[in-house]
Amino acid sequence: MASKPVRNKSKPKFRKGHSASGKKLSRSVAIKVNPSETVVILDFGSQYTQLIARRVREHKVFSVILPYHSALETIQSYKPGALIMTGGPANVYDAKAPLPDPRIFDLGIPVLGICYGLQVIGHLLKGGAVEKSERREYGHAKIQIARGQDLFRNFPAETDCWMSHGDKLSKVPDGFEILAHTSSAPIAAVGHRAKRVYGVQFHPEVVHTPLGKEIFRNFLFEISGFRGTWTPQSFIENTVREIREVVGNGRVVLGMSGGVDSSTAAVLIHKAIGDRQTCIFVNNGLLRLGEAERVLETFRDRLKLNLHYVNAEALFLKALKGVTDPEKKRKIIGRLFIKVFEKEARKIGKVAYLAQGTLYPDVIESVSVHGGPTSTIKSHHNVGGLPKKMKLKLLEPFRMLFKDEVREIGRELGVPVEFIRRQPFPGPGLAVRILGAVDKKRLELLRKADWVVIDEIKKAGWYEKLWQSFAVLLPVRSVGVMGDERTYDYATAIRAVHSNDGMTADWAKLPPEVLGRISNRIINEVRGINRVCYDISSKPPSTIEWE
Ligand code: XMP
């Protein structure tokens, strides 16, 4: 297919990160994913890029996200069976427009351009043209399908879609036909059947396009001929083999937090190398009610992992005594954790690898077409973020997975549902949920209140609908009356939020009856708390944790 020469190819501008191929991460050993079918997604800075990758994987086809300016050889090294170009905030005709290597159209594999991706097709291929639109089209639109074939196989004549664009295709490139239109976009979808290049102006990846899933299905199976072989079983089989090969006779150490990522990684690695993996579980005294016991009972006693338990409660509480500044608390906890972990790891003897449950969103090289915010709001301490000076190689079996995929793998490996469906819990634990100084008494109060919150939210069927739900102990005392007695006790705040990734969050509209039950039970069951408030702030401008 003849492509126009690329004009004014922009200089790539992207945040520092790790390449999906793992090249920049010198400490990370490559666990090859080896999927038999791959879609390469070229990212032009869309807010939906990861969603596109997940939509493809939901159809059991592996996908990898690469920056739009990736070299052709890099793209080819993934042996892609198809390419998807994402949306993005730029305009194709701008001097610095982000554009891919035009030879991607000569690879002979199917291409799907979404929104800006469609405009890239119109801009780079002969005969096409993109023009500025008088007005932005944003929101729901009715789309009329010209022919129920190809991308729109088995579609009705009209369906809903989600639009979010300014520019539009004004002329289709040579050999393309118009597949769909809306009342304000005469060219809403195009295709070149022989070359298998397609483009849609709308966003099939978002839920507001109800048949979006079918568009991906048609592109992947009807047009690209994939079979859908990316399954939890195939991942486990392949990764167990890879871990055995990479680790050889070496030993692996893993920091177990009880969260889904570290637990599933531990069980997977155990399957590969058994007791040559040592999991270290540090109880920092800042865990929730019964948490340490449940982790030990599940992973050490039931699943028979080689798990070292360190009770470092006294050490952490001593170091935190009188500390009220949130950042100081985080730093103290982070440093002490590393110290304790290292000391414990030394007891194991010679270890070559540190295993971590790092996920794909942490390693995707993000494209920032217009630049983006980089300032640190909170210096997160992760149980996973471990000692650099230990000079261990990193074993990260989930580097290419999304969280929901790790959950599926965990389920397949027999990790109990309680751990798989777990809401995230911060590394510094309850210390960032006790405002002000942390001590044993306050920890006891918060543990009991928090347990009531989780218990009632689970009973009401809300636990899995929420990103997080927990109690926060406020450094405020207020007057109350219990029976005939005056009380002067602590107040607690309930936090329950919806979120996709913790970056933004909405406060949850919990039913008043559930809030009522939580409040009643906390005040009745937790001596020392006489007031319960509900936090109705979203992120931004608030954060999820109070500290
Ligand atoms: P914020 O409070 O920044 O939290 O809105 C966003 C998400 O990150 C979690 N969080 C942490 N996780 N170490 C962690 O491992 C930390 O220091 C930390 N601080 C916040 C928080 O629970 C939420 O899911």
Side-chain angles (χ1 to χ4, degrees), residues 330 378-382 424 426-428 467-468 502 539 543-545:
R330 274 198 169 75
K378 294 177 187 178
S379 59
H380 279 199
H381 149 65
N382 274 308
W467 168 260
Q468 276 172 304
K539 174 183 180 177
T543 53
I544 296 177
E545 304 289 348

Side-chain angles (χ1 to χ4, degrees), residues 492-504:
T492 184
I494 309 304
R495 187 79 167 128
V497 294
H498 296 289
S499 173
N500 285 323
D501 50 12
M503 305 290 280
T504 60

Side-chain angles (χ1 to χ4, degrees), residues 349-482:
K350 203 169 152 28
V351 177
Y353 297 93
L354 175 69
Q356 292 190 159
T358 313
L359 300 182
Y360 194 35
D362 301 328
V363 299
I364 295 171
E365 190 173 341
S366 54
V367 167
S368 168
V369 174
H370 295 320
T374 51
S375 69
T376 305
I377 311 291
K378 294 177 187 178
S379 59
H380 279 199
H381 149 65
N382 274 308
V383 169
L386 277 171
K388 285 203 179 62
K389 62 176 186 199
M390 280 175 83
K391 303 238 171 5
L392 297 174
K393 283 179 265 179
L394 294 179
L395 189 67
E396 299 175 311
F398 302 147
R399 277 177 67 75
M400 297 306 283
L401 300 194
F402 290 105
K403 189 137 199 143
D404 38 357
E405 292 175 312
V406 172
R407 290 204 169 102
E408 274 190 54
I409 307 277
R411 206 171 291 122
E412 189 68 27
L413 287 168
V415 176
V417 178
E418 181 202 342
F419 290 92
I420 286 174
R421 300 288 356 156
R422 237 170 191 209
Q423 294 175 353
F425 186 64
L430 300 182
V432 289
R433 294 180 180 172
I434 292 176
L435 274 67
V438 177
D439 59 33
K440 243 184 149 146
K441 184 176 162 235
R442 289 186 188 142
L443 278 164
E444 280 305 299
L445 286 180
L446 180 57
R447 270 196 192 108
K448 287 183 188 158
D450 187 68
W451 192 82
V452 171
V453 174
I454 296 300
D455 190 43
E456 285 300 330
I457 281 187
K458 280 188 176 164
K459 281 184 187 152
W462 271 77
Y463 185 79
E464 290 182 13
K465 292 188 212 163
L466 297 169
W467 168 260
Q468 276 172 304
S469 45
F470 53 87
V472 179
L473 191 70
L474 307 183
V476 180
R477 297 173 86 183
S478 71
V479 176
V481 52
M482 284 276 256

